[in-house]
């Protein structure tokens, strides 16, 4: 089999269908996952775990976004979110929103501080 044939096999629709069990979403999972949602493993992979799920658990020993996982695993985001939904439902990983950008202080507060400093 040539390299091009192997690449097609790795990303074939049939393979992706098998990985997700034909599902487009995880059963019983209510948390919305977007590209920047951070995923952290709670435990290591367990024997008998699906290879792709075990890879996710190994990769997420430190927080990774859904987009990063998709890139590292070379799988579509939709497939990764199905796998993550199952891992979340099983308590194997935790999803958390990314750290929000720092909120700027109120303009009136800044002006009051500047005014106070000018009086010194």
């Amino acid at each position: 089999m040539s390299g091009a044939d192997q690449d097609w096999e790795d990303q074939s629709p049939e393979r992706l269908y098998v990985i997700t069990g034909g599902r487009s979403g995880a059963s019983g999972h209510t948390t919305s996952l977007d590209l920047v949602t951070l995923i952290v493993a709670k435990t290591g992979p367990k024997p008998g775990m699906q290879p792709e799920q075990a890879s996710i658990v190994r990769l997420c020993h430190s927080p990774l976004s859904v987009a990063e996982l998709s890139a590292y695993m070379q799988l579509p985001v939709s497939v990764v979110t199905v796998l993550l939904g199952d891992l979340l439902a099983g308590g194997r990983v935790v999803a958390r929103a990314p750290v929000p950008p720092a909120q700027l202080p109120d303009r009136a507060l800044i002006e009051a501080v500047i005014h106070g400093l000018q009086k010194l």
Side-chain angles (χ1 to χ4, degrees), residues 41 43-45 49 53-61 87 92-93:
T43 62
M49 183 180 266
Q53 288 180 334
S55 293
I56 290 173
V57 171
R58 278 193 294 277
L59 285 168
C60 291
H61 63 279
L87 290 169
R92 309 296 293 176
V93 298

Side-chain angles (χ1 to χ4, degrees), residues 18-102:
V18 169
I19 290 172
T20 61
R23 296 171 295 134
S24 61
S27 49
H29 177 63
T30 58
T31 304
S32 175
L33 297 173
D34 59 21
L35 293 175
V36 294
T37 301
L38 296 175
I39 307 295
V40 183
K42 291 174 68 175
T43 62
K46 67 178 182 179
M49 183 180 266
Q50 183 179 3
E52 291 81 10
Q53 288 180 334
S55 293
I56 290 173
V57 171
R58 278 193 294 277
L59 285 168
C60 291
H61 63 279
S62 21
L64 284 178
S65 70
V66 173
E68 290 172 310
L69 282 170
S70 176
Y72 287 139
M73 297 184 66
Q74 299 180 350
L75 290 172
V77 172
S78 58
V79 172
V80 172
T81 56
V82 170
L83 296 171
L84 286 172
D86 294 343
L87 290 169
L88 285 163
R92 309 296 293 176
V93 298
V94 175
R96 63 180 194 208
V99 176

